[in-house]
Amino acid sequence: MQSSNPSGVSRRTLAKAGIFGAATAPLLAACGNDGGGGAAEGDGELDFWWWGSDPRHEYTQKIVDAFLAQNDGVTIKPSPNEFDAYWDALNVSVSGNNAPDVLQQDERYLRDYADKNALLALDDIGIDLSNIEESTLKTGQLDGKTYGIGTGVNAMALLVNPALVEAAGMAMPDDTTWSWADFSQFITDLSAQGDAIGNSAISFSNESLFNIFARQKGESLYTADGKLGFTEATMNEWWQMVLDLRDSGAIPEPSKIVEAFSAGQDQAPLATGTGVTEFYWTNQIGAIQKVLGGDLVLLRVPGESTGVQPGLYLKSAMYWSISRTTSDQAAAAKLVDFLLNSDESLDLMLGDRGVPSNTAQRERILPNLPPDQKLGADFIATITPELAEGPPVPPVGSGSAADIMLGVFETMIFGDVSVEDSTKSFMDQLNAEIGA
Amino acid sequence: MTDNDVAVVRPKQRSSGAPPGPAASAPSPSPERARRRTRASIRTRERWAALSFLSPWLIGLLAITIGPMIASFYLSFTDYSLGYGEWVGGENYARMFDDPRLANAIKVTAVYTFVSVPLQLAAALLLAIVLDRGLRGMAFYRSIFYLPSLLGGSVAIAIMWRQVFGTEGLVNQVLAIFGIQGEGWVSHPDYALGTLIILHVWTFGSPMIIFLAGLRQIPTMYYEAAKIDGAGVVQRFMSVTLPLLTPIIFFNLVLQIINSFQSFTQAFIISSGKGGPADSTMFLTLYLYDQGFTQFDMGYASAIAWLLLAIIAIFTALNFLMSKFWVFYGDND
């Protein structure tokens, strides 16, 4: 160790302190929480996050490029992701005060994020909302402020593979009059007479489908004041129907249902041609038809005309939101405005994020939709006159309903618990989450 | 000052048995004091050198281990969620006593650990004894058996496992040859945990390597003596191999119990991150993840992390306590 300089040690110490300081500074900075709003005059650097599939990533990137061409001084860092990974990443980045500026939101989580003060109110920051449907706008509001603007609307439909119905020697049912009993009979016969399973049963754990079932009885999943809005009897009936379908062989054996569920949309029985029917949102049709390589027919959810009221409703496919901590509020607002209202954006987006909520744009692009998106758009156009008033916005904490329902469903179909206990378990768990 | 000086001073320091502590505190003649100061400054300098060489690791330890641990301990007393949290005292810990899913997660983790670890160690020991015989191509076999340990924690293997134990998977195809109609093993709540246990047992490679090293340490003269006394293969194993191997078994046991309590990847992939079907593969780590990242409840998730730490600490302590009764250190007598 050659060292004639007595200050050598201290120089090293300083250097080390510098390194250590550099390493810890971001940590310390992350601990500070200014609690202020987004910067109005910003740096023009936007993080833009969305989830989706490859085609969506490609056209969204083109929209971003079109936006940048018109807006000098703005740079955008796009982060496309896959749905599940998206929410983990978003949770982490928001928790670490590193939230993306502009982001896609979903009905399940929008209110959680808004309630935690992570999102910016979008009412008066220069986004043109004049053409956005009032009913869609309302679904993105909390306490009278808009935290997410619906990109477009979806409806739930029963997707049916007509080739497999024919192969089973059966006719298409009349979906304007059919009841849940008719549906049960239909898929039981399909399973018995054809090679493919009548229904893959991956939607009976979907809280939105159950909501439609409850609405047909004049109830709903949630009430307007954020409580559970259905009776035990309704949910018991729902679970009993599932068990009857399982016992009659209309749906696959339980472990195959679980397997199909975790395999994802592309590997689900409807897409692989091993299942005849399944419930999906209308903007999912294109992707499924592409994997299947054949055409699908859309039917109304059963029980629409046999209950107290129709249960179907139009759901906002997804939302555009801006983080409260955005580094450039003006640029972020401009981007959202561009996504919602510009011709360039909608010419590329078409119906992929739902039938556009911007009514002027909707009319403009409807004739240009590709065939698979047209199926969904036509379906929505047909059922819209029949619909009852939409369900109230779900309460904070409702994002966990899907996982809770899946857990209850899985436990039940393997025969471990009764219908009544399943209902009780679902209601107890969800009540705890929504604080009711 | 040269390297040589240091080398000379060092042994002196040791042999003189100089008391530790500040050199200046001892009253001594001035040349002696000067020498001591030099020695002290060398010590200081060496300490700094050591620290600076350690600094990459130290910074890592502080920034990505100690720091987050302190943060998580603090967060476990808050309702932190999406960037905001308030102090709630022991509420998160109190909540644990009224959480059936947490109780289930503890049960699942315990079953997983206490079934898979003994099986895995038994498999590792058995293979180690077989491989210890000096077969031809030993290095090759060792590598083959060690391979699963390297792969077992990977995402790819977990995905493969899902396929192998799926309804149409390899296992059922083999069963079909014997006319048995298999289940969808990973998607049935009664069997899903079993497939994870098999996966864990399969990764017996690293304890096996440690056992092999342990077996090499046992002097052959003990075996020769036992042979002369007329001990058979089983008796030689029970009376020579096993007792002399207990420190290694103990080491592997402690390590593997800690490891399996912390298991995450395999269950996460095989159950698509949900611990399903019906919470049957919901490990504590997975539940922690679910609470923190899916339910936005970082406070509660942090509390669960500390619960996990406490559980691991208790079992490790129990292990050490019980080791007195069965672990035999040859050099103690």
Side-chain angles (χ1 to χ4, degrees):
Chain A
M1 193 183 293
Q2 188 95 38
S3 172
S4 55
N5 178 3
S7 71
V9 169
S10 84
R11 198 168 56 214
R12 262 202 310 272
T13 314
L14 277 176
K16 259 185 327 211
I19 293 166
F20 185 66
T24 49
L27 292 177
L28 297 174
C31 294
N33 191 342
D34 60 338
E41 282 296 312
D43 53 9
E45 286 171 19
L46 298 180
D47 280 333
F48 178 27
W49 286 26
W50 70 87
W51 72 81
S53 51
D54 280 341
R56 178 178 297 164
H57 301 334
E58 282 161 25
Y59 81 73
T60 307
Q61 183 59 50
K62 284 183 194 158
I63 297 176
V64 167
D65 293 341
F67 174 78
L68 291 175
Q70 294 178 18
N71 291 276
D72 287 339
V74 178
T75 52
I76 291 180
K77 212 172 94 199
S79 295
N81 218 328
E82 173 270 324
F83 187 82
D84 281 334
Y86 180 88
W87 295 105
D88 292 351
L90 187 62
N91 184 347
V92 171
S93 71
V94 172
S95 297
N97 275 319
N98 192 23
D101 299 272
V102 177
L103 62 142
Q104 218 168 270
Q105 262 291 353
D106 184 79
E107 185 191 35
R108 278 181 186 159
Y109 303 111
L110 178 67
R111 247 151 248 91
D112 283 290
Y113 278 86
D115 186 54
K116 303 285 185 203
N117 205 9
L119 301 177
L120 192 66
L122 306 173
D123 302 275
D124 306 306
I125 58 168
I127 302 171
D128 179 9
L129 301 175
S130 58
N131 282 324
I132 311 292
E133 248 176 347
E134 190 58 38
S135 57
T136 305
L137 269 185
K138 239 169 52 186
T139 65
Q141 292 174 342
L142 179 78
D143 300 332
K145 283 188 185 158
T146 310
Y147 292 99
I149 303 167
T151 57
V153 292
N154 270 338
M156 193 171 269
L158 183 71
L159 271 55
V160 183
N161 185 334
L164 291 176
V165 174
E166 203 174 307
M170 292 175 56
M172 277 290 175
D174 178 4
D175 68 329
T176 56
T177 59
W178 73 339
S179 64
W180 284 95
D182 296 336
F183 164 75
S184 296
Q185 192 60 49
F186 178 59
I187 61 171
T188 307
D189 292 345
L190 280 171
S191 295
Q193 298 175 27
D195 295 331
I197 197 79
N199 180 282
S200 44
I202 52 184
S203 299
F204 295 122
S205 55
N206 183 328
E207 83 278 20
S208 300
L209 186 61
F210 173 71
N211 194 10
I212 294 172
F213 183 79
R215 279 163 54 80
Q216 290 169 347
K217 296 180 177 302
E219 303 172 6
S220 69
L221 186 53
Y222 306 108
T223 61
D225 56 353
K227 305 244 183 330
L228 296 184
F230 58 93
T231 60
E232 280 100 337
T234 298
M235 191 163 234
N236 288 345
E237 194 184 328
W238 178 256
W239 292 136
Q240 191 57 53
M241 179 181 76
V242 174
L243 292 187
D244 291 346
L245 289 171
R246 180 196 65 184
D247 295 342
S248 71
I251 57 177
E253 55 192 275
S255 56
K256 281 191 181 161
I257 299 175
V258 174
E259 207 169 78
F261 195 95
S262 53
Q265 179 182 295
D266 290 354
Q267 297 297 317
L270 183 68
T272 56
T274 56
V276 192
T277 70
E278 192 47 81
F279 297 93
Y280 282 104
W281 294 102
T282 45
N283 67 334
Q284 294 173 292
I285 300 167
I288 296 168
Q289 283 199 152
K290 196 176 272 175
V291 178
L292 177 66
D295 287 338
L296 295 168
V297 172
L298 274 66
L299 298 183
R300 287 174 183 78
V301 171
E304 283 294 280
S305 58
T306 56
V308 181
Q309 60 167 13
L312 276 172
Y313 60 94
L314 299 182
K315 172 192 174 262
S316 290
M318 56 195 76
Y319 300 84
W320 296 123
S321 291
I322 298 177
S323 288
R324 190 184 50 80
T325 54
T326 176
S327 61
D328 193 333
Q329 187 176 307
K334 256 190 201 165
L335 176 60
V336 170
D337 186 65
F338 186 84
L339 289 164
L340 280 171
N341 298 320
S342 73
D343 291 355
E344 293 93 329
S345 162
L346 271 300
D347 281 343
L348 288 159
M349 199 182 296
L350 296 169
D352 178 68
R353 283 179 162 102
V355 174
S357 56
N358 179 326
T359 48
Q361 289 292 346
R362 181 189 303 180
E363 274 167 40
R364 195 178 65 80
I365 64 152
L366 270 186
N368 309 327
L369 289 181
D372 55 336
Q373 291 186 5
K374 196 169 180 310
L375 265 181
D378 287 348
F379 180 77
I380 288 171
T382 314
I383 62 163
T384 302
E386 306 165 2
L387 298 180
E389 193 192 338
V393 293
V396 172
S398 62
S400 47
D403 282 346
I404 294 173
M405 194 156 174
L406 180 64
V408 169
F409 171 82
E410 284 178 349
T411 311
M412 189 196 68
I413 53 171
F414 283 102
D416 293 342
V417 290
S418 69
V419 161
E420 288 75 18
D421 288 346
S422 299
T423 301
K424 184 177 181 308
S425 168
F426 177 74
M427 294 175 86
D428 287 351
Q429 289 185 59
L430 190 52
N431 266 330
E433 289 298 328
I434 63 175
Chain B
M1 192 164 305
T2 67
D3 290 1
N4 210 19
D5 289 326
V6 178
V8 173
V9 171
R10 250 199 202 140
K12 250 192 210 163
Q13 240 174 341
R14 280 192 196 139
S15 59
S16 68
S25 65
S28 45
S30 80
E32 175 71 2
R33 188 187 293 162
R35 218 164 57 215
R36 286 200 178 191
R37 196 181 296 134
T38 317
R39 254 186 246 154
S41 91
I42 289 166
R43 263 214 301 272
T44 317
R45 208 170 287 165
E46 284 183 343
R47 198 173 295 138
W48 279 114
L51 278 174
S52 56
F53 279 116
L54 279 171
S55 66
W57 180 81
L58 280 174
I59 290 168
L61 178 76
L62 286 169
I64 59 184
T65 304
I66 305 281
M69 273 184 81
I70 294 169
S72 126
F73 189 64
Y74 170 74
L75 289 180
S76 74
F77 293 99
T78 70
D79 60 358
Y80 193 84
S81 173
L82 292 175
Y84 286 87
E86 274 167 27
W87 186 266
V88 295
E91 210 172 87
N92 287 323
Y93 292 94
R95 194 177 140 189
M96 289 177 176
F97 293 99
D98 190 29
D99 185 349
R101 290 188 79 199
L102 178 71
N104 173 67
I106 293 174
K107 197 190 95 190
V108 169
T109 314
V111 169
Y112 174 76
T113 301
F114 295 119
V115 175
S116 67
V117 170
L119 285 178
Q120 186 205 29
L121 291 188
L125 184 55
L126 192 74
L127 259 297
I129 288 169
V130 171
L131 290 182
D132 194 36
R133 311 226 153 182
L135 294 170
R136 193 180 291 189
M138 182 54 52
F140 174 73
Y141 288 115
R142 256 202 323 254
S143 312
I144 289 289
F145 285 117
Y146 186 63
L147 209 56
S149 270
L150 298 174
L151 300 171
S154 72
V155 172
I157 288 294
I159 290 173
M160 188 193 85
W161 220 249
R162 205 160 83 176
Q163 301 294 332
V164 167
F165 285 93
T167 315
E168 314 285 330
L170 188 65
V171 170
N172 282 350
Q173 284 172 18
V174 171
L175 286 178
I177 296 172
F178 301 99
I180 302 166
Q181 164 84 51
E183 273 285 346
W185 305 103
V186 290
S187 43
H188 194 295
D190 293 347
Y191 307 119
L193 187 59
T195 64
L196 287 174
I197 289 174
I198 294 173
L199 177 55
H200 188 101
V201 173
W202 184 59
T203 61
F204 56 76
S206 35
M208 181 194 76
I209 293 290
I210 298 170
F211 277 136
L212 259 178
L215 286 171
R216 294 281 158 85
Q217 299 278 311
I218 300 175
T220 41
M221 60 177 187
Y222 290 165
Y223 290 109
E224 282 157 9
K227 231 182 211 168
I228 290 165
D229 290 346
V233 176
V234 175
Q235 212 174 353
R236 282 205 298 272
F237 174 75
M238 297 305 287
S239 310
V240 179
T241 314
L242 215 48
L244 288 171
L245 212 55
T246 46
I248 310 289
I249 297 175
F250 173 63
F251 174 78
N252 272 331
L253 188 69
V254 170
L255 225 59
Q256 290 303 324
I257 286 183
I258 293 175
N259 262 343
S260 67
F261 266 114
Q262 293 178 327
S263 289
F264 176 78
T265 317
Q266 298 93 329
F268 182 80
I269 300 294
I270 286 177
S271 70
S272 305
K274 298 193 193 309
D279 277 359
S280 62
T281 59
M282 183 61 95
F283 290 162
L284 256 182
T285 51
L286 227 61
Y287 188 58
L288 183 169
Y289 178 87
D290 178 70
Q291 291 297 313
F293 295 98
T294 313
Q295 317 286 352
F296 306 116
D297 208 340
M298 287 288 180
Y300 191 44
S302 299
I304 296 172
W306 282 90
L307 173 72
L308 179 63
L309 181 82
I311 290 176
I312 291 176
I314 287 170
F315 276 106
T316 308
L318 272 180
N319 243 330
F320 272 92
L321 282 178
M322 290 195 304
S323 73
K324 289 197 183 108
F325 300 103
W326 63 275
V327 176
F328 169 76
Y329 292 101
D331 51 357
N332 273 0
D333 44 30

